[in-house]
Amino acid sequence: MRLLIACSVLSFIIFLISQKVIAVPFDAEITGNSTAPSSNTKQSESKDVRQAGIQKLSDEIDKYQAAVEKIESTEGMYSEQIAQKLVNLGNIYQHYEKHEDAVQVYKRALHLSRINEGLYSLTQIPILEKMIESYKKRKQWEQVNDKYYYMYWLYARNFDDMDINRLDMELQIANWHLEAYAMQLLPDPTQDLIYSYSLFDRAVNLITNTYGETDERLITPLNGLMLTNYFIASHVMRSSVEKVYAMNEQLQVQMKKSDILIAEMKRKSFVTGKKIIQRKLTVLQGQTQVDHQAIAKVKLKLADWFLMHNKRQTALRHYQEAYDYAVATDKNKEFLEQLFSQPVALPHYPNLQQRTRAIKSDTELTTDVRYVHATLDVTKYGKARNIKIVSSNPPDNSPIKTKALKSLRTTKFRPQISDGMTIFTEQLQLHVFPE
């Protein structure tokens, strides 16, 4: 089977720069008889490099196609040796951002893997992961979801329910459901939250059962649980769901199971979040080499959780505990100032993209980044006051300014902490990056 090539000049330039085939020139000082190359010379050289790049890609693809055809002629079109050649060919297409061609090649490789290794063979997993990568690039979310669940099915056929070999798969699919929830892909996005929480929770149980209660590998799924539980806690429920606990049993049965489940998880989310953070703290404290900075950060997360749930006095007490711990353990002053010297927009979780952050000056931002530069005061209880817009990019974009103002008014902040006490902060400089 012949696969046709059609690669844009831009793709080649990006690839060749990454491979250092094209050198990015810097302005050179002209001395003696040195002369700068003319624009015609530069264009000619650039054209030659592009032609060389196109020829190189064509040669690579021809090489793999010839290898596939040779194997087909000697061993038949279902030879198991063909699958790896096809994967390599797919990787070339993927590298050049030709994802449609890559997917077609991976599909054939997957088919050959099933024929030669069996329907349940785990040799399909690397091919599925490459297919998912290309489907994501093409934003073909339904195909991404299908391939993840085919992966889940393969693991279920090969391993028992609590086999540690399932761990990587459980984490991959848990993270996918968080992505899907963020993009609101399903008609009922709460299903993604339920699936994600369940898979992260399973990963915690897999690691605990295999390696123990304080194994460091628990940190990754616990971070996932923290983030998912936050989304559950902040999820806006439909009005009919909010009233579920005031309804009689017959009406509850009529509601969708996912609505009832997410409502129950939301009701328990404060206690659940506190337990997850405390579990992470237990894991960190149980390590042979204790990471004091990591422990101080988790102590702050616990205080943040109380503050986000309007338990201000408890939050202040935990902020003081976090500060006291940092003072006692940070003998070389490596992280004390970093953690406590200025307010932090909440929530502040691992793997959660921060839309608000402090930046020293506008010159640190590239011209194509959309942002709003604002100043505000932060009270000792983490509330924003006296919010003012300083500038924005683009400068005349009123909608992003309005969106930034609305966001800052509702954002809670971890207050600045000095000598163990939360304090009022004036004129905090922030940049807000709208979605």
Side-chain angles (χ1 to χ4, degrees):
M1 178 180 67
R2 282 282 174 184
L3 298 172
L4 301 178
I5 309 165
C7 191
S8 70
V9 171
L10 180 59
S11 295
F12 284 113
I13 292 174
I14 293 171
F15 170 75
L16 293 170
I17 289 175
S18 70
Q19 298 297 310
K20 299 184 180 178
V21 175
I22 298 177
V24 182
F26 293 88
D27 291 336
E29 182 181 357
I30 300 175
T31 58
N33 295 324
S34 299
T35 58
S38 69
S39 61
N40 288 337
T41 302
K42 289 180 180 179
Q43 290 176 5
S44 177
E45 290 174 353
S46 178
K47 183 177 179 181
D48 290 342
V49 171
R50 288 197 299 270
Q51 292 286 354
I54 292 170
Q55 186 59 50
K56 181 179 179 181
L57 173 62
S58 179
D59 291 344
E60 285 293 309
I61 291 177
D62 284 344
K63 181 180 75 173
Y64 280 106
Q65 288 176 339
V68 169
E69 289 173 358
K70 182 177 180 181
I71 296 170
E72 285 179 338
S73 66
T74 58
E75 300 184 26
M77 62 185 301
Y78 297 115
S79 170
E80 60 183 357
Q81 295 184 42
I82 295 176
Q84 186 55 54
K85 299 293 183 184
L86 290 171
V87 170
N88 292 339
L89 179 57
N91 292 346
I92 292 173
Y93 279 123
Q94 196 173 75
H95 183 83
Y96 282 86
E97 302 292 332
K98 294 178 65 61
H99 295 287
E100 185 174 358
D101 290 328
V103 165
Q104 294 307 314
V105 173
Y106 291 138
K107 280 182 178 178
R108 189 182 174 202
L110 192 66
H111 180 63
L112 290 175
S113 178
R114 291 172 187 157
I115 291 173
N116 290 293
E117 304 291 339
L119 288 176
Y120 311 138
S121 172
L122 293 176
T123 58
Q124 298 172 75
I125 297 298
I127 305 173
L128 286 169
E129 290 174 339
K130 298 298 290 185
M131 291 179 77
I132 287 169
E133 186 178 337
S134 282
Y135 280 135
K136 283 185 176 181
K137 289 287 186 179
R138 291 177 59 81
K139 298 184 179 180
Q140 294 176 292
W141 307 122
E142 187 175 346
Q143 288 88 338
V144 171
N145 199 61
D146 288 345
K147 290 298 173 284
Y148 270 125
Y149 271 87
Y150 182 62
M151 185 189 298
Y152 188 94
W153 178 79
L154 281 175
Y155 274 92
R157 299 293 304 196
N158 281 274
F159 302 110
D160 292 336
D161 196 47
M162 293 305 295
D163 193 314
I164 193 62
N165 287 297
R166 295 170 62 106
L167 178 62
D168 182 64
M169 175 272 299
E170 304 272 1
L171 290 174
Q172 279 193 62
I173 302 179
N175 280 307
W176 158 244
H177 280 298
L178 272 185
E179 288 182 59
Y181 173 75
M183 292 184 286
Q184 301 284 286
L185 297 182
L186 291 178
D188 181 9
T190 58
Q191 291 181 26
D192 280 314
L193 286 181
I194 294 168
Y195 296 150
S196 181
Y197 188 92
S198 174
L199 289 163
F200 280 127
D201 191 51
R202 276 185 46 76
V204 168
N205 290 332
L206 282 171
I207 295 169
T208 301
N209 290 344
T210 307
Y211 303 114
E213 293 280 347
T214 59
D215 188 85
E216 196 171 11
R217 279 162 283 207
L218 285 164
I219 296 299
T220 295
L222 286 172
N223 284 340
L225 280 177
M226 274 201 312
L227 186 53
T228 308
N229 185 67
Y230 164 73
F231 285 135
I232 291 169
S234 57
H235 182 73
V236 177
M237 307 293 292
R238 291 188 286 246
S239 58
S240 60
V241 178
E242 293 288 355
K243 297 174 183 177
V244 66
Y245 294 103
M247 295 177 179
N248 60 40
E249 264 187 45
Q250 186 176 0
L251 287 174
Q252 289 185 23
V253 170
Q254 292 173 2
M255 294 182 64
K256 289 170 59 179
K257 289 183 179 179
S258 61
D259 284 341
I260 297 173
L261 182 55
I262 201 72
E264 179 68 11
M265 294 173 77
K266 183 178 174 69
R267 187 175 68 85
K268 296 178 178 179
S269 60
F270 169 70
V271 174
T272 301
K274 185 170 67 171
K275 287 180 178 178
I276 293 168
I277 298 169
Q278 288 171 334
R279 176 76 188 275
K280 185 176 177 181
L281 195 57
T282 300
V283 172
L284 290 171
Q285 290 170 334
Q287 301 307 304
T288 304
Q289 291 186 330
V290 176
D291 185 338
H292 295 297
Q293 182 176 359
I295 290 175
K297 285 181 178 180
V298 177
K299 286 179 175 288
L300 283 172
K301 294 285 187 298
L302 185 58
D304 293 342
W305 189 245
F306 284 111
L307 188 66
M308 286 191 289
H309 286 80
N310 299 314
K311 300 182 184 299
R312 299 193 305 184
Q313 295 305 317
T314 307
L316 297 186
R317 188 175 72 252
H318 280 278
Y319 281 130
Q320 183 168 2
E321 287 180 10
Y323 184 88
D324 291 344
Y325 178 85
V327 169
T329 58
D330 187 19
K331 302 299 184 183
N332 298 320
K333 305 297 184 218
E334 294 173 348
F335 59 84
L336 188 65
E337 183 176 354
Q338 173 194 338
L339 295 184
F340 302 97
S341 63
Q342 66 178 15
V344 176
L346 301 177
H348 190 73
Y349 291 140
N351 306 322
L352 181 63
Q353 185 177 2
Q354 302 301 317
R355 297 288 179 187
T356 305
R357 63 177 181 266
I359 296 181
K360 293 180 181 178
S361 69
D362 289 349
T363 57
E364 296 180 53
L365 299 167
T366 59
T367 56
D368 59 342
V369 173
R370 296 171 71 243
Y371 67 87
V372 173
H373 178 191
T375 64
L376 64 151
D377 301 335
V378 178
T379 71
K380 63 180 290 188
Y381 296 115
K383 290 188 175 182
R385 295 285 186 266
N386 302 322
I387 304 168
K388 296 177 182 178
I389 301 298
V390 178
S391 63
S392 69
N393 187 43
D396 57 349
N397 194 320
S398 296
I400 68 167
K401 293 180 183 178
T402 302
K403 193 171 185 178
L405 278 170
K406 184 178 179 181
S407 173
L408 289 172
R409 287 191 187 111
T410 57
T411 297
K412 289 189 178 181
F413 288 81
R414 175 191 302 160
Q416 182 179 346
I417 304 170
S418 178
D419 295 328
M421 304 293 291
T422 60
I423 61 174
F424 186 88
T425 304
E426 291 185 294
Q427 296 293 294
L428 177 67
Q429 303 280 330
L430 284 179
H431 282 75
V432 182
F433 301 86
E435 295 179 7

